[in-house]
Amino acid sequence: MHRETVIVGIAGGTGSGKSSLVHLLLESQVGGQITVLPHDHYYLNVDQLPAKLRDNHNWDHPDAVDNRLYVKHIDQLVRGESINQPEYCFETHRRKLATESVTCRRILLVEGILVFAIEEIRRRLQWRVFIEANSDERILRRLVRDTQQRGRSLASVVHQYRMTVRPMHDEWIQPSREHADLVIPNTGPDSLYKGAQVLSGFLRSLIA
């Protein structure tokens, strides 16, 4: 591990506020020292999924993600190497041809719903932050995101939530909360903002 890098995992259920927390951290005093590595950029192409996951349109299982490449990129970044981060299209469920060149700053944020549930990722994290939010709020946020940003119909989002999203949350994501060093309750903008302030102050002390 590169001695200058602090690796922080940010996990939580779908719609819990992970992206919002990352945005607040990027706007904080330590924002210029942060590199973000989103786990959901590493989804497998739909034809690469295990048959059971593909048939059920299950994107919330650990095997739906190219975790080998993700771990490889974490290791490269903390060694001070640059990576070609994939870009994923959630409408076609395939990776785009273009990639993004990413280098590591002092703080590496490893973010995604499953990053605590996958042991190979979890053991690389020095600090683990779990965001907890009410399940009703989480599904509402997912509805807005998937219909407005990912071209999904309301009916398809509700069906997927019932068939795979909620069961996978109960099986993989909520149990991974036990690995957290810090749990931030997201009961509204104020609570997430205060959590970001506490976390940014802590990160600032680590890289001082």
Side-chain angles (χ1 to χ4, degrees):
M1 181 182 299
H2 193 276
R3 65 182 183 89
E4 297 267 335
T5 303
V6 177
I7 310 173
V8 180
I10 297 179
T14 182
S16 60
K18 297 180 299 299
S19 297
S20 297
L21 178 63
V22 168
H23 177 74
L24 288 170
L25 292 174
L26 290 172
E27 294 295 318
S28 73
Q29 290 183 326
V30 295
Q33 300 294 327
I34 291 175
T35 294
V36 184
L37 193 67
H39 197 210
D40 63 8
H41 282 226
Y42 289 77
Y43 276 114
L44 294 167
N45 290 339
V46 63
D47 54 357
Q48 296 174 313
L49 288 176
K52 186 175 181 179
L53 300 187
R54 183 173 62 249
D55 294 344
N56 292 329
H57 304 285
N58 187 350
W59 303 96
D60 291 72
H61 189 283
D63 291 344
V65 191
D66 190 346
N67 294 301
R68 180 178 297 180
L69 179 61
Y70 192 69
V71 167
K72 177 182 177 181
H73 280 181
I74 292 174
D75 291 344
Q76 286 180 300
L77 286 170
V78 299
R79 288 198 302 264
E81 303 171 12
S82 62
I83 64 166
N84 293 318
Q85 178 184 273
E87 296 288 334
Y88 199 81
C89 176
F90 290 95
E91 294 186 29
T92 63
H93 296 296
R94 294 182 181 278
R95 285 187 192 167
K96 300 177 182 179
L97 294 177
T99 59
E100 180 182 357
S101 179
V102 176
T103 57
C104 197
R105 300 180 177 90
R106 294 289 307 281
I107 301 165
L108 177 61
L109 294 186
V110 173
E111 178 267 321
I113 61 174
L114 291 162
V115 296
F116 295 175
I118 299 166
E119 196 273 337
E120 293 84 353
I121 299 172
R122 185 176 68 246
R123 65 185 174 86
R124 286 167 165 78
L125 308 175
Q126 294 168 296
W127 301 95
R128 306 181 190 113
V129 180
F130 190 93
I131 306 177
E132 195 155 60
N134 178 275
S135 59
D136 291 339
E137 287 297 320
R138 290 192 296 101
I139 181 55
L140 289 173
R141 292 171 190 152
R142 182 165 180 135
L143 280 169
V144 172
R145 184 199 68 188
D146 284 3
T147 55
Q148 294 186 0
Q149 300 177 19
R150 297 184 177 179
R152 302 280 305 282
S153 69
L154 176 62
S156 72
V157 177
V158 172
H159 177 75
Q160 186 181 34
Y161 182 80
R162 288 172 172 164
M163 296 300 295
T164 62
V165 176
R166 185 171 58 190
M168 293 298 98
H169 179 87
D170 293 341
E171 181 176 354
W172 295 101
I173 300 160
Q174 190 63 34
S176 75
R177 179 187 186 276
E178 69 181 38
H179 300 292
D181 301 299
L182 173 67
V183 175
I184 297 178
N186 184 5
T187 56
D190 288 344
S191 63
L192 202 59
Y193 178 74
K194 290 176 182 177
Q197 285 186 312
V198 171
L199 185 55
S200 64
F202 175 68
L203 293 175
R204 189 179 182 189
S205 72
L206 291 179
I207 64 173

